[in-house]
Amino acid sequence: MVEVKDWCVKDIAEALVSKSDEQIINSSGIKKIEVPMYQRNLVWSDTQKKLFIDSLEQGFPIGTLLLYNAPTGTFKLIDGLQRSSTLKDYINNPTFYFDSFVDIDENTIKKLYESFKITSEFKSFEERVRIDIQNFISNIQFKDVSPLKIAQILEEKYWSENIELNQLKLLSVIEEILKANIDKYTEKYEKIANTRVPAIIYTGDEANLPTVFERINNNGTQLSKYQIYAATWATRQKPITVKNEEIVKKIIEKYDSFIEEGYTLDNYDKDELLDSKNLSMFEYVLGFGKFIASEYDNLFQVDKNAQDINQIGFELLNACFKRDTAGIKDLDKELYELDDINDLENKILATIKTVSEYIRPFIDFKGNKRANANSSTIFHSKYQIISIIAFVFKEKYCRVENHFEEVDKQIWNEKNKKLKSVVPQIYFYDILNRNWAEGNQGNLHSVINSKDYYLKPITKERWNSSLDNWFITSLDKKDYKQVKNPQPIEKLFLNYVYSDKFSSKDEKSQDNFDIEHLCTKKFMKDLMIKNKWEQGLPVSSIGNICYLPEYDNRKKQDNTIYQDKKYLKYLEENDKSLKDIEEKFTLTTKEGMEWLNKKYGSNDYDKFFGLYKQFLTNRYEKMKVIFYKTLGIKD
């Protein structure tokens, strides 16, 4: 049965935060509104929220809320979480939605200006007083906004003992001046708070709710497929007991964030969840993704907030079953068939650890991040790292009926040795050639099901072709007044080159390392601007960048290592060898950079660029030799 109602905004907002299971909020007859646990997260931006409230004020159509009239005496919100949450937020914090709150008419400002007998120019006072009013209103509850309170704030800031009116009299005058404006905004608040919003009440079998939820969103693009899965999987829901408590905690964090927003969640009991560790399959897969993202932030993007629907768990588990991405909608059926999902989890976690060890020397390289950095740079796409993990999982484990078993140990040891050598090669090669650019989801299924994608090394001929094309292209990327920073692919290449040069002592030291331009950005920019070389120069070409210890880099500042006498003296005083710096970090010689010290005029662009290009090429060739040595690439 379906019934149509129309309720005012403030009654809906109150129903969303009601604590009593049976409480009727008001004469509108709205009972407590609960949010089902399969509902989507809060995703509207501030702009979307303000447009929605503006639509209410303008009397525009805003759609309907869909609620289920539960036998427990409450309503369950089936559709309209974004809209209803915005209504609740408006009632609690209306001044956020009043962009024009300080748009008090100029006549009122002039009266204030005259009453305070301000001596500074009117425009300056006008700007200041509007800011003062806005700051005050933004930091208090709307119910506490009154002409008297604002008058007290202004009187305290602008009153002087020398003016004709005494302080008490002035307060009364200011209050009267502001009254009409404040009343205008109070009326605006009341108008929106009492606006009627249509709601459809569904009464029927509760088991149909996820189906209803899916169908009403079937023709739109508002919900992601994962938010639909949350509803459809609920129709096949049966609890599973999870051994990994951290996964349970990730789900609790998500639900608690809703509670903190003031919502009541249907059937949510935090203590019971922690004690039983019983999750639905959707909750488990979601929590698994959140868990591995937090454990391996060098491999996966970490959620920005607890309510995010992290997709990585769904896609990784699906890939480990060697299914195409379209099959995720029925992944729960596959998982329910397993004898022990916790055993599968342990095997996948072991695989993630193995893959991390393959590429960690390059993605977590010392020069790549500060010791106190919040997270690593992620060079790869989501589908690339999933493909590696799922491929390695396939090579190590095989499915036997309803569980996975490890392959013969000797076979795995041989495969593992090969994977350890080849995976770092393919990892860089695919990023260099943008083989997983913009997701490239279509590659995933074929790569996972291939026999040797991550087992077959790249030939040196193919490496030369790709690397040389990349370098030549970099020579065309010219800067002038604004010099771009090195891109992730340049940083990753440096990691591969320098990983062969850094000792374990370097890796464990407290020293930080910076990416440095050998022909420094400032020197090159000044030279181009002085000579009006608007053609620009490839300042951030891979041939011009290196890692340097932070203390060396900071000493050297804007000069090359050969131009700064203080820097050279610093090396000498600290018993550091310039040759050491050259061999380990810069891959240069003083003679090889002498061309930089010559005088160049406005007509010397071609001459300078020719010398600079030769310098870049020579150094790139040195770096390529080290790169090949690092990866064991031979003729």
Side-chain angles (χ1 to χ4, degrees), residues 7 35 76 89 91 99 136 164 205 211 226 323 339 350 446 451 466 491-492 508 518 537 550:
W7 295 324
V35 179
K76 293 184 180 181
D89 188 47
I91 294 300
D99 284 339
F136 168 70
E164 296 171 1
D205 187 349
T211 303
Y226 296 95
R323 295 154 54 96
D339 296 331
S446 61
K451 290 183 178 180
S466 292
K491 295 177 183 178
L492 185 59
K508 293 175 182 177
L518 292 164
L537 292 166
E550 184 181 45

Side-chain angles (χ1 to χ4, degrees), residues 431-444:
I431 294 173
L432 177 66
N433 291 284
R434 298 178 56 78
N435 291 340
W436 296 93
E438 298 181 7
N440 214 339
Q441 187 175 342
N443 281 350
L444 187 58

